[in-house]
């Protein structure tokens, strides 16, 4: 009985001590600028060496900056952001910038 209790306590301590990945959540309704994606929510996080990813409310994760695109080039779990990146209605042939998502994501990299 004591052994079982001890194991349960140790599992709880270990699982609680794992660092949580810090994220920034953006939503279409609350975003101040022009929303650049065909999804309504994007949760941005930093991984590796300043790799910025966005997990969308469609369940897919997208590489947002060059570092993330290079690091995940052969990773089938990372989708191509061009799938959801919207055209800019004001300028024919251009896309709406999502640079703010990258800039904000980089602040997460600096905090670690």
């Amino acid at each position: 009985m004591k052994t079982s209790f001890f194991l349960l306590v140790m599992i709880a301590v270990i699982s609680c001590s794992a660092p949580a990945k810090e994220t920034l959540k953006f939503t279409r309704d609350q975003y101040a600028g022009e929303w650049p994606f065909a999804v309504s929510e994007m949760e941005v996080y930093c991984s590796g060496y300043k790799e910025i990813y966005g997990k969308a409310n469609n369940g897919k994760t997208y590489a947002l900056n060059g570092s993330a695109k290079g690091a995940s080039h052969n990773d089938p779990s990372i989708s191509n952001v061009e799938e959801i990146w919207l055209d800019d209605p004001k300028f024919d042939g251009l896309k709406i910038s999502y640079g703010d998502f990258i800039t904000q994501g980089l602040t997460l990299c600096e905090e670690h």
Side-chain angles (χ1 to χ4, degrees):
M1 180 71 172
K2 286 183 179 180
T3 304
S4 297
F5 179 74
F6 178 75
L7 287 174
L8 287 173
V9 170
M10 290 306 295
I11 290 170
V13 168
I14 290 170
S15 65
C16 291
S17 64
K21 186 182 298 187
E22 199 171 343
T23 64
L24 294 171
K25 186 173 183 178
F26 296 90
T27 63
R28 180 185 299 145
D29 295 338
Q30 296 176 342
Y31 188 67
E34 191 169 8
W35 187 254
F37 304 115
V39 295
S40 59
E41 294 180 7
M42 183 69 75
E43 195 166 354
V44 174
Y45 64 92
C46 177
S47 181
Y49 181 73
K50 298 186 179 185
E51 298 155 19
I52 307 301
Y53 296 92
K55 182 166 176 64
N57 63 318
N58 65 1
K60 293 183 177 183
T61 300
Y62 300 91
L64 298 182
N65 67 349
S67 295
K69 289 175 183 179
S72 64
H73 179 68
N74 293 321
D75 185 345
S77 69
I78 305 298
S79 299
N80 189 338
V81 73
E82 280 76 13
E83 294 175 8
I84 60 166
W85 194 9
L86 297 175
D87 292 331
D88 190 328
K90 295 180 291 239
F91 302 101
D92 192 36
L94 297 180
K95 300 283 191 179
I96 299 170
S97 173
Y98 63 86
D100 189 42
F101 292 74
I102 296 170
T103 301
Q104 294 297 315
L106 287 170
T107 65
L108 297 174
C109 299
E110 295 168 3
E111 294 174 4
H112 292 99

